[in-house]
């Protein structure tokens, strides 16, 4: 088989795996329970492995894949969560793919899926239009808020924000100032439907930050901006670590953490109620019985997967921050900062669904950049060097 055919087959497997993973996310947001989900995960893992097998890597790249793949395989053996191994396969398989094309396909498939869910709910064919429930706001409960087929108002606001993120990254060079203004107006229209305070704040923050960096060369090239961004990202992680340790706010109702957590609707009190989620009970690799769901994303990261996978994820964010500064990839920078702040309050990105977190796509593009100047490994992994 010629190199050209190997490349085409590998890329076809990648695109098929990517689209399936995106559709799995859309189906998860609907009211439908997917009985084939675990089998589809196995299928996409196989497709990404085929892409890896048909891609040329340098010796250093292979060592990198084996090192991180080995650590995540150990994680899987301990906590029985296979998404860590699937993430490594996906990231490794991204080598050689056009990042803008990948993000554009991600945007259009997600847009089509969300549009279908909204249309089905609005026409009464499938899925609820609104939800009446106690959303934990005291005197305001119960409330009726719109979900438009996506199960929860926060999920609706989050998925529409994700579309804006993908759209800005994919088509930034075509956007004008009035597009950013339109995104901001759309944010408040969606807020009127969902009443999601987290969603409206983070969406507005992402749009404003992207706008300023895109139109201000002085800000874009100022190293201090990226340092502040890194401080915010690491500060969010530190806040989550502290919150997981002193989350029993009832013991200190006048403390700063209590007041901050009250603004977050008691999210860290909720995760503190799960004993294994407390800092003092974190393990290098999490136990398989750690299956509880709560909103604090960074705490869920360490609770579900353990300290080693958690540190690797944080290190990945730091590495992407460095690349965003080096390449002046300002949309990636805005994504990193806004995603980290969102992780304080929600756990959308910490999930069994790898295509909820678009930072993994960017990691798939940037991970092999330091090795680009290394000599390419002659042949594929099954070939013997003479």
């Amino acid at each position: 088989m010629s190199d050209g055919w190997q490349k085409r087959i590998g890329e076809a497997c990648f695109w098929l795996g990517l689209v399936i993973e995106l559709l799995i996310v859309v189906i998860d947001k609907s009211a439908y329970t997917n009985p084939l989900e675990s089998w589809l995960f196995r299928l996409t893992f196989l497709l990404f492995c085929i892409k890896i097998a048909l891609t040329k890597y340098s010796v250093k790249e292979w060592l990198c894949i084996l090192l991180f793949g080995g650590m995540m395989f150990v994680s899987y053996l301990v906590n029985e969560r296979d998404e860590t191994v699937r993430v490594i396969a996906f990231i490794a398989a991204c080598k050689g793919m056009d990042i803008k094309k990948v993000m554009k396909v991600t945007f259009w498939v997600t847009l089509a899926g969300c549009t279908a869910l909204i249309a089905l709910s609005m026409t009464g064919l499938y899925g609820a239009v609104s939800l009446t429930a106690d959303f934990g706001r005291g005197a305001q409960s119960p409330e009726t808020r719109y979900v438009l087929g996506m199960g929860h108002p926060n999920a609706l606001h989050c998925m529409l924000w994700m579309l804006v993120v993908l759209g800005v990254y994919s088509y930034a060079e075509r956007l004008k100032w009035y597009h950013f203004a339109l995104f901001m107006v759309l944010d408040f229209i969606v807020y009127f439907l969902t009443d999601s305070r987290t969603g409206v704040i983070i969406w507005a923050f992402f749009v404003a930050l992207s706008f300023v960096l895109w139109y201000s060369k002085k800000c874009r090239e100022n190293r201090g901006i990226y340092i502040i961004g890194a401080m915010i990202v690491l500060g969010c992680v530190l806040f989550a670590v502290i919150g997981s340790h002193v989350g029993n706010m009832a013991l200190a109702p006048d403390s700063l953490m209590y007041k901050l957590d009250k603004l977050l609707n008691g999210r860290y009190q909720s995760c503190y109620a799960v004993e294994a989620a407390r800092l003092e009970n974190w393990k290098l690799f999490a136990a398989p019985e750690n299956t509880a769901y709560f909103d604090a994303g960074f705490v869920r990261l360490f609770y579900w997967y353990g300290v080693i996978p958690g540190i690797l994820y944080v290190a990945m964010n730091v590495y992407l921050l460095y690349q965003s500064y080096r390449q002046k990839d300002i949309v990636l920078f805005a994504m990193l900062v806004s995603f980290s702040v969102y992780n304080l309050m929600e756990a959308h990105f910490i999930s069994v669904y790898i295509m909820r977190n678009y930072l993994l796509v960017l990691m798939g593009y940037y991970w092999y950049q330091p090795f680009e100047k290394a000599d390419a490994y002659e042949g594929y992994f099954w070939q013997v060097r003479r």
Side-chain angles (χ1 to χ4, degrees), residues 155-176:
L156 171 61
H157 209 126
C158 177
M159 287 304 291
L160 296 183
W161 170 47
M162 290 295 98
L163 287 172
V164 171
V165 170
L166 290 169
V168 171
Y169 195 95
S170 300
Y171 299 101
E173 66 280 358
R174 300 186 189 179
L175 297 179
K176 307 298 181 183

Side-chain angles (χ1 to χ4, degrees), residues 21 38 71 76 98 104 133 142 144 146 175 209 211 292 303 377:
E21 286 284 354
S38 61
M71 284 192 286
Y76 164 67
D98 183 334
K104 286 178 181 178
T144 298
Y146 286 90
L175 297 179
L209 182 58
F211 175 80
Y303 164 73
Y377 180 58

